[in-house]
Amino acid sequence: MRDDRLEAKREAETLDEPATEARNLAERLGLDPYPVRYWVVDHDEMNELIAYGGFQRRYPHWRWGMNYERQRKKDRHGLGKAFEIVNNDDPSHAFLQESNTAADQKAVITHVEAHADFFANNEWFGLYADRGADGPNAAARLERNADRLAAIGRRADVDRDEVERLIDAVTALEDTIDQHSPVDASRSENGSTGDEGTEGPQAELEARIEELGLSEEVKRDVFDDEWLDDQADGVEPESPRPDVLAFLRDHGKRYDPETGKAVDREPWETTVIDAIREEAYYFAGQKVTKVMNEGWATYWESLMMGGEGFAGPDEFLTYAEHMSRVLGSPGLNPYKLGFELWTHVEVRAARRDVIDKLLRVEGVTPENFHSRIDLEAVRSALEPDPVIAGAGPATLDELGELAATGDPRVDAETVDRALSVRAGDRDPEAGPDIERYPWKLLTYEGLAERHYALSRPEHRGALRNVPRTTLEERARYMFDVDRYESVEAALEDVDRTAGWDRMYEVRESHNDVTFIDEFLTEEFVRERNYFTYEYSHAGEGFRVASVDAGDVKRKLLLQFTNFGKPSITVLDGNFKNRGELLLAHQYNGIALDEATAKATLKRVFELWGRPVNLATIRTEYTDREVERARRDGREPDGTEVGVRFQYDGGAVTEHDLDPEIESRIAADEIDYDTKPEDWLA
């Protein structure tokens, strides 16, 4: 064990310089990450961290052991090596596998720096991070929860099995939060926070009775304490509540099998619910930005490792293989989809900037744009200045000349130091290492020009392929001011940072759903050959369904809305005026997995203490209908039927759904002909 620790320490020491320089390069590229603390761990420690969701301590529960065993088997059989894991915290903590090659370690460090930037600047992570003046401080909070729940399990007056069962129930519902709101937002609705005291629905009811002016005798006979308690059991939200877990926390009870009634929870039970719900909000930021976050990290990792030579010549082939594995994973790959969407954002923004300039050239209109403008000449003019593109020791004199003129693309101080070292006026040890890190000679503007999107070979047709409708759209917002006399004059004003600037804007405010909705365009789908496929009831297998961009977008949005899970809301806390809970599946054409839904309903019962109901819609097919569709070579239409499942502590029963409730939960304008498994290939 001692030898292993020494080896890990030696490995960590070799990463000090790459970590420092990766941070310097990231900041030079415009990233603004949290500080990152790097740790080198062995296989077993990495598996433990993955099991715990990226943290070293979590509350005691059996699922961590299950996660660990699953990851250990994947690692042993080569089914999914983890190169690193990083958590959203300030500072962020990144754990690197000690068996990684030098190229892999550099790759994951650049990847981590981009993740830390996304954590620090995306508003969806801020919903959790803004709770404290000192930032997210997630490690401390999760450790505190671990201590609190472990202490509860050790109490003599608490059954450890009851703690475990409650944790099971809450974790089964951890995705039924309102991920669009801060963690405390849903706790203030309906005048109740769930705390002990006189506020809340019962107090309001008692006040209304008092306003009636009845005698004490009549009040005792008609509105006795038992009746008041019964009414307090049912709470009707003013509108469907998306944070089911908050509603259960604030208004739920515990079923007592000895009396067969619902009883108030013990304080420790509420502590358990609060702790796990808070952690669900912490991890929600990662779930709702998976594509954006992984794509963002992959984009900047690729640029730093390949574009800026952070992978040395002897490491590049290893890195290329590393990246091919990341982007080549089958199925819906968030790294690949995110990387391609971010590149699309960059190219569109750069192209828009150029188009806006060219449409201001005298005599150029959307109608004559392609005939009047020599786009090949434009493409050549947009190539980076050779001095900037080849910035390094060989171009030091030219860079010095640019620096003397105040050129914003050149880091004048670094260039001056490098020239002084070359002339022997400065100690080489004190000079910048421009052989290994030539990017130090350039500013953000210089690096943006060196990596300008429209000059890359794969995007050189971007201007030629711009449709006339896009040109007309841009021209609508232009006025007869700031005109250019020539194309050359217009191109001198092109902003080479436009693509990156736009990426940084998008990074701040979007989540996966809004990101895909805005940027998964028809052009994107066509150029990258995306399509949808789905299950055929007639053919009893999967088939290609559509190459239409709208269909692709709809299927992806269904995949990412609400973490890709069914959207469940609280519809009624006093269903049938008996204190029963009515949950509603907001039906979007995707049927529930009924076995899972019934099992989850039993968990809800444990947090409500009284009968619970779930309203949903399913599509039913008769054998005759399926056979007829098969003969006709089409899909069966099926019949949508509303259904209500109920669980009262015995068996789950099925009932017809009230038409009024069915109309409330049915979605409009949704593509119903779909299945939840792997919509996109």
Side-chain angles (χ1 to χ4, degrees), residues 105-127:
Q105 297 291 38
K106 287 185 176 181
V108 297
I109 287 171
T110 55
H111 195 86
V112 162
E113 292 294 330
H115 273 315
D117 169 82
F118 197 89
F119 294 151
N121 295 286
N122 180 266
E123 292 178 359
W124 294 92
F125 285 95
L127 291 177

Side-chain angles (χ1 to χ4, degrees), residues 420-445:
S420 296
V421 168
R422 193 180 68 178
D425 299 332
R426 190 185 295 244
D427 182 358
E429 294 296 326
D433 187 355
I434 60 174
E435 285 280 357
R436 296 173 63 191
Y437 307 118
W439 48 266
K440 293 185 176 185
L441 297 166
L442 301 177
T443 63
Y444 174 74
E445 290 77 12

Side-chain angles (χ1 to χ4, degrees), residues 336-391:
K336 182 176 186 292
L337 177 59
F339 175 79
E340 291 183 341
L341 278 170
W342 278 118
T343 303
H344 187 57
V345 171
E346 178 191 20
V347 172
R348 278 183 41 163
R351 184 174 67 184
R352 176 179 295 179
D353 174 66
V354 173
I355 288 172
D356 286 354
K357 302 294 191 301
L358 293 177
L359 285 174
R360 286 190 168 95
V361 174
E362 293 291 351
V364 174
T365 67
E367 291 74 20
N368 67 16
F369 181 88
H370 287 92
S371 60
R372 182 76 179 268
I373 302 292
D374 183 347
L375 294 176
E376 187 59 30
V378 169
R379 187 195 65 75
S380 297
L382 292 175
E383 290 287 337
D385 183 328
V387 176
I388 299 298

Side-chain angles (χ1 to χ4, degrees), residues 74-147:
K74 289 173 64 177
D75 188 31
R76 177 189 298 173
H77 298 292
L79 300 176
K81 176 185 176 181
F83 291 96
E84 46 79 25
I85 188 167
V86 57
N87 57 42
N88 164 35
D89 212 345
D90 182 9
S92 295
H93 292 265
F95 302 91
L96 314 184
Q97 187 94 273
E98 68 179 4
S99 62
N100 290 344
T101 65
D104 287 338
Q105 297 291 38
K106 287 185 176 181
V108 297
I109 287 171
T110 55
H111 195 86
V112 162
E113 292 294 330
H115 273 315
D117 169 82
F118 197 89
F119 294 151
N121 295 286
N122 180 266
E123 292 178 359
W124 294 92
F125 285 95
L127 291 177
Y128 179 89
D130 290 346
R131 293 200 64 205
D134 57 346
N137 200 14
R141 291 185 186 180
L142 269 60
E143 186 169 342
R144 183 173 65 247
N145 286 341
D147 290 338

Side-chain angles (χ1 to χ4, degrees), residues 478-515:
M478 294 182 181
F479 302 94
D480 287 329
V481 294
D482 300 327
R483 308 296 292 187
Y484 296 103
E485 294 182 359
S486 66
V487 170
E488 292 73 21
L491 294 180
E492 288 179 2
D493 279 352
V494 165
D495 181 3
R496 307 299 179 93
T497 68
W500 287 357
D501 289 348
R502 178 58 174 152
M503 290 172 67
Y504 284 118
E505 290 176 5
V506 172
R507 171 262 264 143
E508 290 185 2
S509 58
H510 282 266
N511 60 35
D512 282 346
V513 170
T514 60
F515 186 57

